[in-house]
Amino acid sequence: MSIVHVTNLTHIYGDRIIFQDAGFRLLKGEHAGLVGANGAGKSTLLRILTGSLLPDHGNIEWQPNIRAGFLEQHAKLTKGTTILQYMEQAYDRLFEIEKQLNRLAEKMADAEDNLEAILKRYGELQSELESSGFYQIGTKPDVLLLDEPTNYLDAAHIEWLTGYLKNYKHAFLVISHDEHFLNEITTVTFHLEHQTIKRYSGSYQYFLKEYVQSRAQAEAAYAKQHREIKKLEGFIDRNRVRKAKQAKSREKALSKIKRIEKPTDSYVPSFSFKTGRNPAMTVLKTENLEAGYTVPLFKPLSLTVKRGDKIAITGENGAGKSTLIKTLLGDLKPLSGTVTAGQHLQAAYFRQESPASHHTPLEKLRAFFPDLSEKDIRQTLAISGLTPKHISQPLATLSGGEQAKVRLAELMLSNSNLLVLDEPTNHLDTSAKRALKQALCDYKGTILLVSHEPSFYEDWVTHIWRIEAWRRK
């Protein structure tokens, strides 16, 4: 039985086609992954499913009385809001209707002539609450829609979420670029590519094998048809006069052939980071460093970063990884102790999050690098996996992965001998992750990397700083 059935889905953003006559169905109890390149439309699809975005064309049919839980990629937080207040915002409209019901109930006591109208309105609001599942708040939804749920989780919480989803009795559709996570939790994969959605039954690893095979079959079918078409066209051109009847017959046959589209590859990004002048052998040194905003997050640290070190910084959420690197870079003043930078240090910093503006990627990088030609900046953005359309769109309209590629392009244009990267793989698709990993392996300078993905760093870093080992007793 289908929980949701999507047919003939078409959606266009500006002059860009996101979906074209796409369709799929999610069955009861299915544990499904939704995968595809950055900007393919994965988050857009979830927004369409929840009704927060209306498609240009197509049908989205939900099974009646289905309760869907939706985790967006980015939480819209307001300073001063508590966790409970934020969670209650999901039901703001329903709580307001409940307040209206209570006010109407109070009016009934004194109502005389307009009692009938009050009762009618009360019944309408009561029906709305019942149909919206208000009285089932707190019960588990029938389907979960999760947009990159592991992006900001540490290893312990990813492990917990993995176990929770593996044992989840209902259906879910999850967007993720974490291949290990997907392989652990999914039994079905929906692949979004070339404006369509294709279903693959089985694990994520099975999808990868099937996708390679289906690509090879599509390329072979296209090549075979292309040869047949060329053969027919050649015969027709040679025999228009001498064998006109046969040529006409072949021409008719040619017109009836349903052309197979040539398979096209999604562009694979490439990254490379320039190194500037060599720094001193000791790049960074701390003595009895205590870092934090008001109280120290860990015991006093005496650390040394040598030229050429590639260090992964790991630990649970809130342990102080980002605080530590901000302190090492001088963005945050130590609570006590010292940080000493070696001579000729040139640091390039990839922050975990950067506010998206209404400037285009091209405008942003031209402002940062006024001495570079527009051609050089365009080429760097293109190498990073961005199309001419992406380059001329406001940053705020790009996907999280596309925005991350713009920031990586910024690092590529910078001369540095120390790269500091705070969770750079958040939002990146699998091909971009592989390209970034290779670029960091090839980088001749020093690296400080905050990451929760051991598979990304464990085979190339020289040291691992485990924050939990520095906790105060």
Side-chain angles (χ1 to χ4, degrees):
M1 180 185 295
S2 297
I3 285 182
V4 62
H5 188 195
V6 177
T7 54
N8 306 121
L9 176 63
T10 296
H11 188 69
I12 300 171
Y13 183 83
D15 60 350
R16 182 178 165 208
I17 299 173
I18 308 297
F19 305 110
Q20 187 162 15
D21 202 29
F24 79 100
R25 63 176 72 213
L26 181 68
L27 304 181
K28 185 177 181 180
E30 275 192 331
H31 291 180
L34 178 61
V35 302
N38 290 139
K42 302 182 296 296
S43 298
T44 299
L45 179 61
L46 292 196
R47 291 176 60 206
I48 288 173
L49 291 178
T50 60
S52 61
L53 181 66
L54 295 177
D56 293 309
H57 181 71
N59 297 309
I60 293 89
E61 297 180 26
W62 283 94
Q63 183 184 329
N65 302 316
I66 286 292
R67 298 186 303 276
F70 178 35
L71 176 69
E72 294 184 83
Q73 187 175 149
H74 298 284
K76 299 176 178 66
L77 300 176
T78 304
K79 187 176 181 180
T81 302
T82 67
I83 293 174
L84 179 60
Q85 289 169 338
Y86 176 76
M87 293 178 70
E88 287 176 341
Q89 287 174 9
Y91 306 104
D92 273 353
R93 187 181 66 84
L94 300 182
F95 284 130
E96 181 55 38
I97 293 175
E98 184 188 39
K99 289 178 183 177
Q100 291 181 44
L101 279 178
N102 293 334
R103 287 196 292 268
L104 288 173
E106 291 173 1
K107 288 182 179 179
M108 287 181 194
D110 302 321
E112 295 180 1
D113 297 338
N114 62 340
L115 180 60
E116 186 175 339
I118 293 174
L119 286 170
K120 181 182 178 183
R121 181 58 180 158
Y122 189 95
E124 291 171 349
L125 294 175
Q126 183 78 39
S127 296
E128 188 171 351
L129 284 183
E130 289 174 354
S131 63
S132 64
F134 178 72
Y135 298 108
Q136 284 77 45
I137 288 176
T139 60
K140 289 185 177 181
D142 303 295
V143 59
L144 295 176
L145 305 174
L146 308 175
D147 194 349
E148 301 206 35
T150 64
N151 268 359
Y152 302 102
L153 297 184
D154 54 37
H157 287 93
I158 291 174
E159 184 179 352
W160 172 85
L161 181 61
T162 300
Y164 179 84
L165 292 177
K166 284 172 76 171
N167 296 311
Y168 192 67
K169 294 180 180 179
H170 302 290
F172 63 72
L173 181 61
V174 58
I175 297 172
S176 180
H177 298 299
D178 186 330
E179 293 182 297
H180 176 75
F181 176 68
L182 287 171
N183 210 44
E184 286 288 313
I185 65 168
T186 59
T187 55
V188 173
T189 299
F190 293 106
H191 186 218
L192 210 169
E193 185 180 48
H194 306 315
Q195 298 93 42
T196 61
I197 304 166
K198 187 172 180 180
R199 175 191 177 93
Y200 294 83
S201 295
S203 68
Y204 178 76
Q205 207 62 38
Y206 179 78
F207 149 71
L208 293 176
K209 293 177 182 176
E210 285 291 298
Y211 176 67
V212 170
Q213 185 176 337
S214 66
R215 284 281 306 180
Q217 291 171 345
E219 288 169 0
Y222 171 80
K224 181 181 178 182
Q225 187 189 73
H226 186 68
R227 289 194 298 271
E228 291 173 354
I229 290 172
K230 286 294 182 184
K231 186 177 178 181
L232 284 171
E233 288 175 341
F235 181 90
I236 293 166
D237 288 340
R238 292 192 305 271
N239 296 284
R240 288 188 184 279
V241 177
R242 190 163 57 89
K243 298 179 180 179
K245 190 173 182 181
Q246 288 177 295
K248 195 70 177 174
S249 176
R250 296 296 204 319
E251 200 168 23
K252 191 174 181 181
L254 183 63
S255 67
K256 291 182 178 180
I257 291 177
K258 187 176 181 180
R259 306 282 177 127
I260 298 172
E261 285 191 27
K262 184 178 181 179
T264 56
D265 292 316
S266 297
Y267 183 77
V268 178
S270 175
F271 304 108
S272 62
F273 303 107
K274 298 180 292 185
T275 49
R277 180 178 178 179
N278 274 342
M281 279 303 300
T282 298
V283 175
L284 289 168
K285 186 178 179 66
T286 73
E287 291 186 9
N288 297 315
L289 173 68
E290 290 189 315
Y293 287 90
T294 54
V295 296
L297 294 174
F298 24 72
K299 63 186 181 182
L301 300 174
S302 295
L303 305 168
T304 301
V305 180
K306 294 290 188 181
R307 187 169 67 200
D309 282 351
K310 296 185 177 182
I311 301 170
I313 305 171
T314 69
E316 63 188 23
N317 289 342
K321 302 183 296 295
S322 298
T323 301
L324 175 62
I325 59 175
K326 288 177 183 177
T327 307
L328 293 176
L329 291 174
D331 289 355
L332 190 64
K333 187 178 179 181
L335 295 177
S336 69
T338 60
V339 179
T340 304
Q343 282 189 317
H344 313 303
L345 180 63
Q346 293 177 283
Y349 183 20
F350 183 99
R351 298 176 185 274
Q352 186 175 150
E353 289 296 329
S354 180
S357 70
H358 293 290
H359 293 294
T360 68
L362 182 60
E363 290 169 344
K364 177 182 178 179
L365 295 192
R366 288 195 72 181
F368 282 162
F369 305 100
D371 295 335
L372 293 179
S373 70
E374 181 175 321
K375 179 182 177 182
D376 287 340
I377 293 174
R378 284 183 176 275
Q379 284 179 342
T380 304
L381 288 167
I383 290 168
S384 303
L386 297 165
T387 67
K389 288 183 180 179
H390 295 141
I391 292 170
S392 58
Q393 281 181 226
L395 281 158
T397 66
L398 299 180
S399 72
E402 290 162 348
Q403 290 181 32
K405 289 173 183 176
V406 174
R407 293 195 285 140
L408 288 170
E410 181 184 333
L411 296 192
M412 289 170 65
L413 291 168
S414 306
N415 284 318
S416 67
N417 48 38
L418 171 64
L419 280 181
V420 182
L421 304 112
D422 193 352
E423 302 280 12
T425 59
N426 282 354
H427 311 299
L428 290 183
D429 57 41
T430 52
S431 64
K433 281 186 188 181
R434 283 192 288 269
L436 178 59
K437 180 177 179 178
Q438 186 59 54
L440 297 180
C441 288
D442 295 340
Y443 183 64
K444 303 303 181 186
T446 305
I447 294 174
L448 293 178
L449 168 76
V450 175
S451 178
H452 64 260
E453 291 189 66
S455 60
F456 178 73
Y457 64 77
E458 59 190 358
D459 58 351
W460 59 269
V461 297
T462 58
H463 303 81
I464 298 177
W465 289 351
R466 303 184 193 278
I467 292 285
E468 58 268 23
W470 301 340
R471 283 180 179 156
R472 289 176 173 268
K473 302 296 184 184

